Amino acid sequence: MMSESTDPASPADQIAAGYALTGPALELGALLWDGACLPERQIRIPLSMLNRHGLVAGATGTGKTKTLQLIAEQLSAGGVPVFLADIKGDVSGISVPGTADERIGERAKEVAQQWEGTGFPSEFYSLGGIGPGIPVRATVTAFGPVLMSKVLQLNQTQEQSLGLIFHYADTKGLELIDLKDLRAVVAFLVSDQGKAELKGIGGLSTVTAGVILRALTAFEQQGASEFFGEPEFDTGEFLRTAADGRGLVSVLELPAVQDKPQLFSTFLMWLLADLYGDLPEVGDLERPKLVFFFDEAHLLFNGASKAFLESITQTVRLIRSKGVGVFFVTQTPKDVPADVLAQLGNRVQHALRAFTPDDAKALKATVKTFPNSAYDLEELLTQLGTGEAVITVLSEKGAPTPVAATRLRAPQSLMGPIDAAALDAAVKSSLLYSRYAEPVDRESAYEKISAEQAAAEAAAEAAAAEAAAEKQAKEAAKAARSAPKPDPSLAQQVVGSGLFRSLARSVGTQLGREISRSLFGTAKRRR
């Protein structure tokens, strides 16, 4: 590094001049130059530039999460709501005051910080109830066919078919609340009963339906079924401020889903898309409406589909005009796609390691992402200590500030997680808990289709039973007609014989004469 001179225009003064701001700003720390910390030369970020997005990067253990915490605290203090995606579960301490110790006192003195333990108003959330926190859920309908297609990694034809499915469900009053609703509609439309439903508007091939159903199964195995449902979360809750005017810090607890990157990605896409759709265009504000921090961002982008990356790039580019800032926190800038990285105007780069050829390559690539500077960045980035970083941000005029090696301030809240009991108590004491905690499974597409299918099956069974009974009756009648006559009895044989008939006639004649005589008074002739 270069040595400081007594000339007023020395490199250290020139760097510091780039951070001499006139408006509200976040205090990051003191300038490092020629191995010395210069507390009179403060490094800041203009509050009005926090919607221009940013990156906090560095090797494991270099202080990235503490930097995130430091920035989030000052945003909250400035009345700006903050959203923290807490992958490792170590940011919940922002809700309670930190404890002073010798190390914090020494750091505060070095950087001219008036340190005081302070907790910040916080709410804790979870994805659909996976882990501690107020459950955040979305309905399949709200998620929409375009976003769902991207998550399921469908091609254009399959995406169009999924849009047709959503349209059909909407026109038929089949509410798509959770994934079993969507599965039920897809299965119905390729069934014998449902095939005719879509013929007039394009139809749905069995092959495409199979692809969609398999993709849904894989998605459910990631835990997505927990995220989709009701009550649906209102993302406007993230824009609230506390009664004292400080911005609420919304901490999404994600340790339970860090092995489910697709679910985390899904949530991010929905959240940003929902906010983008709801918020009005505001342009540049004196302070942002909301700032997001996504810790361990490499988990977000690893294995991400092209469609997902395109969606994130577009959203990051456009959501700035809604007054929303997005910060990615990860190990190296190469963890973030180039098109996304190009949108990140504020950079805080902690130390990098160069133990392997891959490390050295990543170091050189990182240096190339910074403006020209008075430092030998390739050397400096391997020598920074914990809680030190190389910084460049956007000035109040939107131009990059000079690269500044900085010893960062210490967070004023607890640098670590709160215990499980305290976290549970904080969650259940929230006014939002009673609104979102219990899932609601009301009648929707799955139940309606199941009821219709059950009724159709019952009718079919009744018709089949009636047909069987009718067939049985016909067969019985036919059998009766074709059955052989039984042999006559002895009495029937005697009565039917010729002798018996002759005798009967003789007896009948004699009997007739006797009756005639009785009736007409004729007497028997005497001899």
Side-chain angles (χ1 to χ4, degrees):
M1 289 184 283
M2 296 179 63
S3 298
E4 180 186 10
S5 72
T6 56
D7 190 303
S10 68
D13 286 335
Q14 292 175 9
I15 294 170
Y19 296 87
L21 309 174
T22 58
L26 309 186
E27 302 287 345
L28 296 182
L31 180 67
L32 288 172
W33 182 260
D34 199 20
C37 182
L38 309 176
E40 71 279 6
R41 295 180 172 92
Q42 291 290 309
I43 306 303
R44 305 175 176 90
I45 302 180
L47 191 57
S48 60
M49 290 293 110
L50 266 295
N51 69 330
R52 301 297 182 93
H53 313 315
L55 175 72
V56 179
T60 300
T62 56
K64 299 187 301 295
T65 302
K66 302 301 179 290
T67 299
L68 176 161
Q69 197 167 336
L70 172 67
I71 297 174
E73 287 179 352
Q74 294 188 61
L75 284 168
S76 174
V80 178
V82 175
F83 177 93
L84 301 177
D86 186 11
I87 292 285
K88 296 177 293 184
D90 54 2
V91 202
S92 57
I94 197 169
S95 61
V96 298
T99 304
D101 58 25
E102 183 178 346
R103 186 176 57 180
I104 289 176
E106 182 179 347
R107 173 59 63 97
K109 183 178 180 181
E110 289 174 345
V111 300
Q113 178 184 10
Q114 300 296 318
W115 191 92
E116 181 180 357
T118 308
F120 294 83
S122 303
E123 295 273 21
F124 298 94
Y125 300 93
S126 65
L127 284 186
I130 304 176
I134 299 163
V136 175
R137 303 181 184 90
T139 64
V140 171
T141 294
F143 205 72
V146 175
L147 207 52
M148 185 66 74
S149 297
K150 293 186 188 327
V151 171
L152 298 180
Q153 301 183 31
L154 304 181
N155 63 31
Q156 185 177 5
T157 300
Q158 294 156 358
E159 180 179 343
Q160 291 171 348
S161 294
L162 188 62
L164 195 63
I165 292 166
F166 272 72
H167 173 73
Y168 170 80
D170 185 53
T171 56
K172 295 295 182 179
L174 298 173
E175 296 88 349
L176 300 178
I177 304 299
D178 50 29
L179 291 180
K180 72 177 186 295
D181 290 325
L182 181 56
R183 180 184 293 278
V185 174
V186 175
F188 170 74
L189 290 175
V190 291
S191 68
D192 292 338
Q193 184 182 356
K195 282 181 179 178
E197 293 287 324
L198 284 181
K199 283 186 177 179
I201 49 176
L204 176 66
S205 75
T206 304
V207 173
T208 299
V211 171
I212 294 172
L213 290 173
R214 287 193 296 273
L216 282 172
T217 298
F219 193 30
E220 287 171 324
Q221 290 173 348
Q222 284 275 326
S225 55
E226 298 285 343
F227 173 61
F228 290 97
E230 289 183 322
E232 185 173 38
F233 190 80
D234 179 3
T235 55
E237 306 284 9
F238 296 139
L239 300 171
R240 294 177 298 143
T241 56
D244 60 5
R246 292 185 296 173
L248 273 176
V249 180
S250 298
V251 183
L252 182 67
E253 292 294 326
L254 293 170
V257 297
Q258 55 183 307
D259 61 338
K260 300 178 175 65
Q262 190 179 9
L263 180 59
F264 176 47
S265 301
T266 298
F267 170 78
L268 172 60
M269 291 174 71
W270 166 75
L271 179 56
L272 292 181
D274 193 73
L275 282 169
Y276 179 78
D278 288 347
L279 292 174
E281 293 279 342
V282 293
D284 291 324
L285 302 172
E286 291 184 0
R287 61 184 184 184
K289 289 186 173 182
L290 177 68
V291 176
F292 282 85
F293 291 88
F294 294 102
D295 201 2
E296 303 294 330
H298 63 281
L299 296 177
L300 179 67
F301 296 111
N302 282 352
S305 68
K306 181 180 179 181
F308 171 75
L309 297 178
E310 289 174 351
S311 177
I312 287 294
T313 302
Q314 182 181 22
T315 303
V316 169
R317 181 183 298 116
L318 298 177
I319 204 168
R320 178 185 69 80
S321 64
K322 306 281 187 163
V324 176
V326 180
F327 273 70
F328 296 100
V329 184
T330 190
Q331 295 183 0
T332 71
K334 71 175 185 178
D335 293 333
V336 180
D339 289 342
V340 176
L341 189 63
Q343 308 298 318
L344 311 182
N346 301 300
R347 302 279 300 279
V348 180
Q349 177 66 59
H350 288 266
L352 292 174
R353 312 303 182 207
F355 299 140
T356 69
D358 285 344
D359 291 341
K361 185 177 179 180
L363 175 61
K364 291 181 180 294
T366 298
V367 170
K368 290 180 180 178
T369 64
F370 280 88
N372 293 331
S373 75
Y375 298 96
D376 180 348
L377 288 181
E378 194 167 333
E379 177 185 357
L380 176 60
L381 286 174
T382 61
Q383 296 177 350
L384 292 171
T386 301
E388 296 178 346
V390 169
I391 293 174
T392 180
V393 300
L394 294 179
S395 70
E396 291 167 314
K397 296 181 179 179
T401 59
V403 175
T406 307
R407 183 161 294 162
L408 297 165
R409 294 186 171 212
Q412 294 178 287
S413 55
L414 178 66
M415 289 186 279
I418 58 177
D419 61 64
L423 178 57
D424 185 64
V427 171
K428 292 181 178 177
S429 64
S430 169
L431 296 176
L432 300 183
Y433 185 76
S434 60
R435 189 181 308 170
Y436 296 108
E438 290 299 321
V440 177
D441 190 12
R442 63 184 175 92
E443 184 184 60
S444 50
Y446 173 79
E447 289 78 13
K448 290 180 179 179
I449 290 175
S450 297
E452 289 180 2
Q453 289 177 334
E457 289 173 4
E461 289 176 2
E466 183 178 351
E470 184 178 346
K471 181 180 179 182
Q472 186 176 6
K474 288 180 179 180
E475 289 176 350
K478 182 179 179 181
R481 288 192 300 270
S482 61
K485 294 182 179 180
D487 294 336
S489 65
L490 180 59
Q492 289 174 325
Q493 292 178 23
V494 171
V495 171
S497 67
L499 179 62
F500 182 82
R501 288 195 295 272
S502 176
L503 180 61
R505 284 194 298 274
S506 176
V507 172
T509 301
Q510 185 177 0
L511 181 60
R513 288 197 296 267
E514 291 297 328
I515 292 173
S516 297
R517 283 195 289 266
S518 299
L519 290 174
F520 300 104
T522 56
K524 187 177 180 181
R525 182 182 299 175
R526 294 181 183 270
R527 289 185 181 180

